[in-house]
Amino acid sequence: MRSFTYERASSPAEAAAAARAEGAKFIAGGTNLLDLMKLEIETPTHLIDVNGLALDKIETTTEGGLRIGALVRNTDLAADERVRRDYGLLSRALLAGASGQLRNKATTAGNLLQRTRCPYFYDTNQPCNKRQPGSGCAAIGGFSRQHAVIGASEGCIATHPSDMAVAMRALDATVETVRPDGTARSIPIAEFHRLPGDTPHVENVLVPGELITAVTLPRPVGGTHIYHKVRDRASYAFALVSVGAIVQRDGTGHIALGGVAHKPWRVEAAEIEMPRGARAVTVHLLADARPTNENAFKLPLVERTLAAVLAEARS
Amino acid sequence: MRFDTPATTNPIDQLKVVGKPTDRIDGPLKTTGTAPYAYEWHDVVPNQAYGYVVGSAIAKGRIASIDLTDAKAVPGVLAIVTAENAGKLGKGDWNTAKLLGGPDIQHYHQAVALVVAETFEQARAAAQSLRVDYIRAHGAFDLASAKDSAVVPEATPATAVGDFAGAFASAPVQLDATYTTPDQGHAMMEPHASIAAWDGDKLTLWTSNQMIAWSTGDMAKTLGIPKENIRLISPFIGGGFGGKLFVRSDAVLAALGARAARRPVKVALARPFMFNNTTHRPATIQRIRIGATPDGKITAIGHESWSGDLPGGGPENAVQQTSLLYAGANRMTATRLAVLDLPEGNAMRAPGEAPGLMALEIAMDEMAEKLDIDPIEFRILNDTQVDPSNPGRRFSQRQLVECLRIGAERFGWKTRDVQTGGTKTGRIREGRWLIGVGVAAGFRNNLLTRSAARVRLDRPGIVTVETDMTDIGTGSYTIIAQTAAEMMGVPLDKVVVRLGDSSFPVSAGSGGQWGANNSTSGVYAACVKLREAVTQKLGFNTAEAVFEDGNVRLGNRSISLAEAAGEAGLVAEDAIEYGDLAKQYQQSTFAAHFVEVSVDAATGEIRVRRILAVCAAGRILNPKSARSQVIGAMTMGVGAALMEELAVDKRRGFFVNHDLAGYEVPVHADIPHQEVIFLDETDPISSPMKAKGVGELGLCGVGAAIANAIYNATGVRVRDYPITLDKLLPGLPEI
Ligand SMILES: Cc1cc2nc3c(=O)[nH]c(=O)nc-3n(C[C@H](O)[C@H](O)[C@H](O)COP(=O)(O)OP(=O)(O)OC[C@H]3O[C@@H](n4cnc5c(N)ncnc54)[C@H](O)[C@@H]3O)c2cc1C
Ligand code: SF4
């Protein structure tokens, strides 16, 4: 770990302004950032602690949706009565992630911004374009069981590991931010995370120093909310694939996948096929999939998991 | 004490303390955080500095240069040890690769330097700024492609009885199948850690080690100093599973770092470093051939196993049990060893039998199916009470059939066939779950080795036992206390047990499930001597004296032990030494494992629903800690069956998933109801304790029982561990 300086910000605007400094980074729960700093995968020279910004509230919006403060802990968000009642998918996705202790620390913004779990990214002896642009990608041709099957590039086949983000994607969330110059903006979740392309180290559309202040959810859409996370052990593991679904009585709805791409994977056009069943949806959802030998199983696994989810929604 | 005739009645048979379910006496220390682990001896020597290990970035090749400039400039850095400045180092007898590499690199994450600094953070930061240039060399990293170059190692010659090839070829029913098991990591909770302090040329090492005497010797050999100059202290160990049988880089580098920095140095291996820096259980490829008559009698059984290791290393002896487990007139076993440049392979809990039974006991299930015989009946039909290669040599005790029958009864095995309506697989469904049951035999040899102890009786009537035996979380403290209490006729709270110190008499140590039986037998021997010392002092006839309730009694004379000890106290030291009973009789432990699984028909996710082990392993010294050992081992068996695999990068030559996020072991949610039954057994041929080991037996066979249950549930036969859902998907029902 490199040496760094540390400050506690007292307002979002102040935090964003402070983040203009070269090498500055925000720290929230620290459950991802600190691990990466210990391994010198992240090497910030200045940390801005955002825990004191009073961004830890969940409020109802005038449109009838929810505004979730960036610092709301995963545990609190999953347990919130409104979330459990109207956005069950989100609550279930959160509870499928990490462990109780981690969720007590992990925040809404930090969860969206957590970095990949590609094992080569974590090993600083290995080439990795995400960690060290231009060094190559050790996962391609290597151990790639966990990696992306769609939307990947020649430069990077990593996945985004978040469960929460999958639910946010299916729920059409919006990310609210404030930039270093003090201006605020709203970014639809669909546009928030990026595919790797030839800049896999750039994972989202935030500009340097841009602070997430909240994530908002639109009015509840009803329906049956299911999050099915498939993994190698029963708990405390990242998804091989996950399916987040909202299914209405008439069989229509929303579907987002985790564990298959560099971002939560959703193809709105595929959802038109929902009444026709899992195969029809999957054909569209994973139309341009290019798995590796080691993770080709994810394609049938998505279809089968989706079929189970749709069956569960019907029953 | 020489043990060369079967035990007769002795004070242990009173079973007033031994054999009772007893809480671990070290439990309160552990649960209150007051049992210091290796890294936590903060107060034993002042001025401790911190060492951080740097590991090789390549798997094979040479160091071209190391640039220390940046690292030395980090504030707080006290010393940097490399092969270049460490002086001449030897290699321990139990190590294959050097513990400090350079200029030659033998495996990934082989230690190449230790940075010592005032604080842990400074040491780590400096370690990260060390610049090492390597020249890569080509290496062999893939067992399957190195297989053909493998040779029969000297240590494990091939065995042959009768005419295997002929009998197999002419057998009416045949199975010829190949199975694979992956490399596995010990993944114990406490990482390897050591604190080293020099006093002149004398070294004290607080460490975490299962085998004190081996490791004192290997430290001496590595450092080139007399072993009398080394004191090794390891009273509490946070798990080892064979990964701490040997001296590892933490110990050697702490000693070198302390010498270079001229102050005590502590070193712990960081978790992501452990999988490639230390040892692991090697992967195997196993071919099993079984021939039988149509009524199920095995006529030919052959087991071959291939594994790899660094040059000079050894094989995984996965065929071991196949020489002894089932009858059959014609038989063969062979291990073959290929050179691989992966990190060094070595013992992990039940080496040999654990991976061997994972394969053999699937093969038995497959054979039973071919024969259309219930898998339990098939095993019973081929039971043997003698060593099949030497029929004059009986098993000292062998209750495998009883384990299978009692287990079948308890588990409700009979309902299996009824439920499946005559088919073997894939009929029982509960909602989305496919349900299946499986069985496997468990087998692990009972190993006998010399073990010594010293026992002291003090004026307050306290019995103190000292032996270099270790407690790796198994319960050694407690069973040793029980043994001494039984022998001396005192309650448990009058016994003090001190372990894990090289200044104590040399014990069997912890490994190969030999610790419990041998170390308590050593304590038994010392206690026999102490009893003699007491009776002699009092002028009592030793044979007739009764040690009871803190007193020694002869007729109506009774004197308290405290009084007998007198001001000076009494001390006795002895060792158990074994004659050739192990040659005359085959000594092994047996189990039957029963498992019920459910498999998600859509996703292939596997959940173990219940699991039962029935064990026949001699006298159970403490049913509570023995049960803990077995359920822990069963848990490890679930890991081996379903998820544990060190993923090899065959281009770069290392285990990629080298942390506990990538190398998955079972979590609580994976472990269902576990039940353990111990048969009421004593084995007087084993030792005066009439006990054997159980700690590894509980693992042997579990994986195959799970594999067989998955087959029963789904009809998909997976022969490559771990059985992950991707291997089931192609065979699951259409949805
Ligand atoms: C062992 C383990 C298992 C896990 N398992 C799972 C799992 O199964 N599923 C899953 O989804 N997740 C899992 N996680 C990841 C966990 O969810 C994340 O670590 C956590 O959500 C990160 O939140 P945090 O607040 O701690 O972020 P931090 O570590 O504090 O920050 C993460 C990143 O976000 C940035 N950041 C934080 N707040 C803001 C803000 N307001 N504006 C802009 N940038 C910000 C930081 O600069 C940093 O780059 C696991 C983590 C661990 C350690
Ligand atoms: S997949 Fe992406 S994160 Fe992994 S090694 Fe390749 S570039 Fe790095």
Side-chain angles (χ1 to χ4, degrees):
Chain A
M1 186 189 270
R2 305 269 175 87
S3 301
F4 56 89
T5 49
Y6 171 88
E7 74 172 284
R8 278 199 191 100
S10 55
S11 76
E14 185 192 308
R20 236 187 296 224
E22 179 77 25
K25 251 191 150 12
F26 302 118
I27 182 161
T31 60
N32 192 221
L33 183 58
L34 280 176
D35 281 357
L36 295 169
M37 286 170 66
K38 289 176 189 170
L39 294 164
E40 294 199 357
I41 294 163
E42 298 263 21
T43 52
T45 50
H46 183 64
L47 286 187
I48 302 156
D49 188 333
V50 295
N51 284 288
L53 299 189
L55 297 176
D56 55 357
K57 289 177 194 59
I58 306 173
E59 297 151 328
T60 310
T61 62
T62 46
E63 292 79 29
L66 277 189
R67 186 169 191 278
I68 302 159
L71 271 296
V72 172
R73 307 289 156 176
N74 287 178
T75 297
D76 298 330
L77 183 56
D80 185 88
E81 202 189 312
R82 291 158 293 183
V83 173
R84 289 175 51 187
R85 187 185 59 226
D86 298 330
Y87 308 94
L89 175 58
L90 177 58
S91 185
R92 292 187 181 113
L94 283 162
L95 294 176
S99 67
Q101 292 92 329
L102 283 158
R103 293 193 300 265
N104 288 343
K105 287 299 284 179
T107 63
T108 309
N111 193 318
L112 279 181
L113 294 173
Q114 64 174 295
R115 306 204 66 191
T116 185
R117 292 280 159 175
C118 169
Y120 297 97
F121 173 74
Y122 268 85
D123 187 334
T124 50
N125 292 325
Q126 307 305 328
C128 168
N129 288 326
K130 188 183 278 297
R131 177 169 28 78
Q132 205 183 336
S135 62
C137 170
I140 295 175
F143 173 56
S144 57
R145 175 175 160 78
Q146 291 278 350
H147 288 71
V149 294
I150 192 158
S153 71
E154 300 287 303
C156 178
I157 58 170
T159 56
H160 193 276
S162 170
D163 293 298
M164 183 196 80
V166 175
M168 294 292 197
R169 181 72 178 89
L171 289 164
D172 290 316
T174 304
V175 181
E176 292 183 16
T177 70
V178 48
R179 281 172 282 199
D181 64 6
T183 58
R185 65 167 169 158
S186 299
I187 309 164
I189 185 86
E191 290 158 29
F192 184 79
H193 292 107
R194 294 169 33 122
L195 289 177
D198 48 18
T199 52
H201 58 292
V202 186
E203 293 170 347
N204 53 60
V205 298
L206 295 180
V207 301
E210 188 166 0
L211 177 79
I212 298 179
T213 50
V215 177
T216 52
L217 297 177
R219 294 170 60 91
V221 294
T224 303
H225 289 218
I226 298 173
Y227 189 72
H228 194 138
K229 181 177 181 183
V230 182
R231 43 192 156 175
D232 283 326
R233 63 181 173 193
S235 173
Y236 204 31
F238 291 95
L240 291 168
V241 307
S242 66
V243 174
I246 302 166
V247 187
Q248 306 294 350
R249 263 170 210 277
D250 61 3
T252 61
H254 298 178
I255 288 165
L257 304 179
V260 298
H262 202 250
K263 61 181 197 178
W265 194 252
R266 180 171 170 199
V267 177
E268 276 81 349
E271 290 163 5
I272 299 161
E273 305 288 337
M274 280 178 68
R276 295 183 45 222
R279 174 146 309 163
V281 177
T282 310
V283 165
H284 285 79
L285 247 181
L286 299 180
D288 294 310
R290 280 180 43 211
T292 70
N293 287 341
E294 291 189 354
N295 67 20
F297 73 91
K298 287 189 178 184
L299 305 185
L301 183 57
V302 165
E303 184 187 322
R304 298 181 70 99
T305 309
L306 182 57
V309 165
L310 296 179
E312 188 184 333
R314 276 195 306 271
S315 68
Chain B
M1 172 183 290
R2 213 175 148 70
F3 183 75
D4 46 16
T5 53
T8 51
T9 302
N10 67 38
I12 298 295
D13 294 321
Q14 301 172 93
L15 298 182
K16 287 183 184 161
V17 197
V18 169
K20 295 266 185 298
T22 306
D23 287 352
R24 297 245 303 262
I25 57 180
D26 51 329
L29 294 179
K30 302 252 167 101
T31 50
T32 55
T34 46
Y37 287 94
Y39 203 69
E40 299 171 340
W41 297 96
H42 307 301
D43 306 325
V44 286
V45 275
N47 211 20
Q48 297 175 11
Y50 294 80
Y52 199 87
V53 185
V54 181
S56 167
I58 64 165
K60 192 174 156 93
R62 288 172 59 79
I63 296 176
S65 64
I66 305 187
D67 182 356
L68 306 179
T69 327
D70 289 353
K72 276 186 174 157
V74 173
V77 170
L78 300 167
I80 301 176
V81 177
T82 65
E84 222 174 318
N85 65 24
K88 190 171 157 2
L89 294 177
K91 186 170 74 61
D93 292 340
W94 297 95
N95 297 130
T96 303
K98 288 192 199 167
L99 296 178
L100 177 58
D104 292 329
I105 296 299
Q106 294 166 288
H107 63 88
Y108 191 70
H109 275 175
Q110 184 176 29
V112 297
L114 179 84
V115 179
V116 182
E118 292 287 351
T119 70
F120 171 79
E121 287 75 14
Q122 290 168 334
R124 182 176 58 191
Q128 285 162 330
S129 56
L130 206 72
R131 298 286 157 251
V132 188
D133 275 331
Y134 298 93
I135 302 166
R136 279 176 199 271
H138 184 74
F141 306 120
D142 180 19
L143 178 60
S145 45
K147 180 172 174 263
D148 290 340
S149 65
V151 296
V152 178
E154 258 172 52
T156 52
T159 67
V161 178
D163 170 19
F164 170 77
F168 180 71
S170 61
V173 184
Q174 297 173 342
L175 172 86
D176 180 350
T178 298
Y179 306 85
T180 65
T181 63
D183 297 286
Q184 294 176 341
H186 303 88
M188 71 298 264
M189 285 239 270
E190 183 203 22
H192 296 76
S194 297
I195 301 176
W198 291 93
D199 181 5
D201 57 2
K202 293 213 178 346
L203 172 69
T204 306
L205 193 72
W206 291 265
T207 187
S208 183
N209 193 290
Q210 301 174 227
M211 299 295 296
I212 302 299
W214 290 4
S215 296
T216 310
D218 268 5
M219 273 305 280
K221 212 161 168 187
T222 308
L223 298 174
I225 63 174
K227 70 171 184 240
E228 295 67 38
N229 286 3
I230 299 178
R231 173 138 177 238
L232 216 115
I233 301 174
S234 179
F236 298 105
I237 298 163
F241 307 121
K244 293 176 181 164
L245 290 168
F246 323 111
V247 166
R248 298 301 314 170
S249 59
D250 58 300
V252 170
L253 289 171
L256 294 173
R259 191 190 263 163
R262 300 176 182 282
R263 44 195 273 207
V265 167
K266 56 163 64 179
V267 177
L269 299 188
R271 181 68 66 181
F273 191 61
M274 289 174 59
F275 296 85
N276 288 281
N277 177 260
T278 73
T279 59
H280 66 278
R281 189 202 298 283
T284 65
I285 299 172
Q286 302 179 43
R287 181 184 186 197
I288 295 177
R289 283 171 289 173
I290 303 176
T293 59
D295 60 356
K297 281 275 181 201
I298 294 176
T299 53
I301 183 163
H303 192 164
E304 294 159 274
S305 172
W306 288 259
S307 61
D309 204 355
L310 288 166
E316 178 70 21
N317 192 356
V319 303
Q320 210 155 252
Q321 69 291 322
T322 308
S323 301
L324 292 163
L325 190 48
Y326 297 113
N330 304 287
R331 36 206 318 133
M332 64 84 68
T333 67
T335 56
R336 294 192 194 81
L337 179 63
V339 170
L340 288 183
D341 299 296
L342 291 170
E344 83 185 62
N346 214 317
M348 177 167 143
R349 199 174 195 174
E353 278 103 332
L357 285 161
M358 284 167 80
L360 178 64
E361 289 297 290
I362 297 184
M364 288 297 285
D365 203 63
E366 296 202 59
M367 198 63 190
E369 185 182 16
K370 280 181 188 260
L371 289 158
D372 200 18
I373 299 179
D374 178 280
I376 292 179
E377 292 311 318
F378 178 51
R379 288 178 173 89
I380 291 174
L381 203 57
N382 290 287
D383 186 52
T384 173
Q385 291 294 318
V386 298
D387 174 350
S389 65
N390 181 3
R393 189 165 167 262
R394 296 187 62 78
F395 282 91
S396 62
Q397 285 280 358
R398 175 168 166 132
Q399 297 203 67
L400 175 59
V401 171
E402 290 74 4
C403 290
L404 287 162
R405 288 215 195 283
I406 290 169
E409 183 66 37
R410 213 30 120 78
F411 193 74
W413 181 259
K414 263 207 216 107
T415 57
R416 164 187 184 263
D417 291 335
V418 181
Q419 284 175 339
T420 46
T423 68
K424 292 209 164 44
T425 60
R427 278 290 183 84
I428 307 174
R429 240 187 127 128
E430 285 177 17
R432 19 183 262 259
W433 298 99
L434 306 169
I435 314 296
V437 293
V439 66
F443 173 97
R444 175 74 174 142
N445 276 332
N446 184 49
L447 304 172
L448 300 174
T449 48
R450 183 183 194 279
S451 192
R454 183 159 57 224
V455 192
R456 202 169 48 236
L457 180 62
D458 291 339
R459 178 67 192 164
I462 301 289
V463 176
T464 303
V465 186
E466 291 175 338
T467 163
D468 84 355
M469 179 60 190
T470 48
D471 189 325
I472 56 175
T474 43
S476 311
Y477 277 106
T478 312
I479 53 171
I480 285 173
Q482 288 172 277
T483 303
E486 194 79 73
M487 289 299 291
M488 300 313 297
V490 298
L492 215 45
D493 62 7
K494 289 278 187 282
V495 181
V496 173
V497 181
R498 302 175 65 200
L499 300 181
D501 187 325
S502 62
S503 66
F504 298 155
V506 174
S507 73
S510 298
Q513 78 170 16
W514 64 58
N517 180 43
N518 292 297
S519 72
T520 54
S521 295
V523 173
Y524 170 93
C527 286
V528 167
K529 251 201 182 159
L530 183 61
R531 287 166 64 113
E532 283 166 12
V534 171
T535 51
Q536 264 168 27
K537 186 168 172 196
L538 300 176
F540 283 13
N541 176 325
T542 309
E544 285 164 27
V546 178
F547 287 74
E548 207 172 54
D549 302 331
N551 301 311
V552 51
R553 186 161 48 76
L554 186 73
N556 49 19
R557 259 188 83 193
S558 178
I559 292 171
S560 77
L561 284 179
E563 204 183 321
E567 280 311 321
L570 288 169
V571 187
E573 183 173 333
D574 201 0
I576 191 81
E577 280 168 284
Y578 297 94
D580 66 355
L581 282 175
K583 285 209 186 94
Q584 291 174 39
Y585 297 89
Q586 175 58 38
Q587 299 191 16
S588 307
T589 61
F590 299 89
H593 296 284
F594 293 81
V595 174
E596 179 178 316
V597 301
S598 54
V599 178
D600 187 316
T603 63
E605 286 164 284
I606 303 158
R607 297 285 177 266
V608 177
R609 306 218 307 184
R610 43 190 191 114
I611 182 162
L612 162 70
V614 185
C615 304
R619 171 173 282 153
I620 300 304
L621 302 172
N622 178 352
K624 190 167 188 180
S625 55
R627 178 177 183 278
S628 296
Q629 279 298 293
V630 176
I631 63 173
M634 290 154 103
T635 304
M636 211 165 192
V638 172
L642 300 182
M643 62 195 84
E644 290 185 45
E645 171 172 24
L646 288 168
V648 179
D649 187 311
K650 292 168 189 160
R651 310 155 305 167
R652 296 170 181 274
F654 74 111
F655 301 129
V656 183
N657 51 342
H658 53 66
D659 59 27
L660 290 178
Y663 185 82
E664 290 181 12
V665 298
V667 293
H668 285 91
D670 291 298
I671 300 305
H673 184 67
Q674 298 176 306
E675 209 187 327
V676 182
I677 298 171
F678 293 111
L679 297 194
D680 194 4
E681 179 179 291
T682 51
D683 192 339
I685 291 166
S686 163
S687 76
M689 301 302 292
K690 304 175 187 172
K692 296 175 185 170
V694 296
E696 300 189 330
L697 178 65
L699 169 59
C700 296
V702 177
I706 295 170
N708 296 339
I710 293 169
Y711 175 70
N712 183 238
T714 62
V716 184
R717 182 66 81 181
V718 180
R719 299 186 184 86
D720 301 294
Y721 290 98
I723 306 174
T724 44
L725 58 89
D726 47 303
K727 296 172 188 168
L728 297 181
L729 284 178
L732 291 181
E734 283 283 322
I735 40 151

